[in-house]
Amino acid sequence: MPDRTGGGALLRRLDAFLYGSGLCFGMAAAALANHARPTSPYALAALHPTPDLLRTIQSYHARQLWPRCVLAAVRDWLRARGGRPEGVLDRLRLPGESPDPHVLCFGPAPNRRFLSCLLGAHAVAPYRVEDAGEERRLYVYDPNYPGDKESYVVFRGDGFEYGGYASSRGWGTTLLPLSAIRETVRPPRVR
């Protein structure tokens, strides 16, 4: 969780709510926004974790609670009949193929585990789809494993699995377009 100086106990409690155990949404959104910006001379992963970079990632992370972003997530969740993974790869827009790529969010499907899945939600940045026999693999940048170039979500039949996230365990998927996140913050310059 990010360190904050000043602001008192209320802001520290807000940090705990907003950032939970990480900044996965902010990191995935910032990575996609950086990739979508053709003038960007660097990869975010190459930057040192300076206070400016952390503020940029926190800004992207906080946007998941903005009305426009929440509305886009709810709309996609409903379109997918409660976050079901069928057809997600057909709707998915990847960086390099679309000026408005998606962040892939793992969240709840409508079931008894809805709230626990909501609290444990995770976001990744998808970048490539491959067919592998009877399954399809969606390769992702996972902020929890930033150096891992072999992270992928397996889609098989009408389900998916990615580590502890699986449709068989009550998880659903939501696609969130970069345009809903309102890319307005610019990453800090490389010095």
Side-chain angles (χ1 to χ4, degrees):
M1 183 164 37
D3 291 330
R4 177 187 294 275
T5 56
L10 178 61
L11 287 181
R12 281 193 295 281
R13 285 192 188 113
L14 181 59
D15 279 352
F17 167 74
L18 182 60
Y19 303 121
S21 60
L23 293 167
C24 62
F25 183 85
M27 292 173 72
L32 282 178
N34 188 64
H35 186 275
R37 188 177 304 111
T39 58
S40 180
Y42 57 89
L44 282 180
L47 296 178
H48 295 289
T50 64
D52 284 343
L53 179 59
L54 182 59
R55 276 191 293 278
T56 298
I57 292 170
Q58 288 172 330
S59 172
Y60 276 103
H61 192 76
R63 293 173 194 198
Q64 68 185 304
L65 299 177
W66 286 8
R68 180 178 176 174
C69 197
V70 170
L71 180 61
V74 169
R75 191 175 341 162
D76 188 76
W77 189 82
L78 291 172
R79 182 180 296 138
R81 298 179 332 222
R84 291 184 181 173
E86 305 95 44
V88 74
L89 295 179
D90 298 326
R91 296 189 333 267
L92 176 69
R93 294 189 304 258
L94 297 172
E97 296 176 6
S98 170
D100 193 19
H102 285 116
V103 171
L104 175 65
C105 302
F106 300 110
N111 59 45
R112 280 181 274 178
R113 296 194 61 231
F114 186 90
L115 290 177
S116 65
C117 289
L118 184 62
L119 293 173
H122 186 51
V124 295
Y127 63 89
R128 183 175 81 227
V129 177
E130 286 184 359
D131 290 324
E134 294 187 22
E135 66 185 33
R136 295 180 78 190
R137 294 178 180 173
L138 174 61
Y139 285 83
V140 296
Y141 160 71
D142 187 332
N144 290 343
Y145 308 101
D148 186 354
K149 297 187 187 302
E150 295 301 317
S151 291
Y152 58 85
V153 183
V154 173
F155 288 87
R156 188 179 303 115
D158 60 357
F160 79 91
E161 186 168 353
Y162 179 70
Y165 305 97
S167 49
S168 63
R169 290 185 221 131
W171 290 93
T173 59
T174 302
L175 295 174
L176 193 58
L178 188 57
S179 61
I181 302 164
R182 292 192 206 174
E183 181 194 356
T184 57
V185 174
R186 299 286 182 208
R189 292 184 197 213
V190 176
R191 294 180 188 167

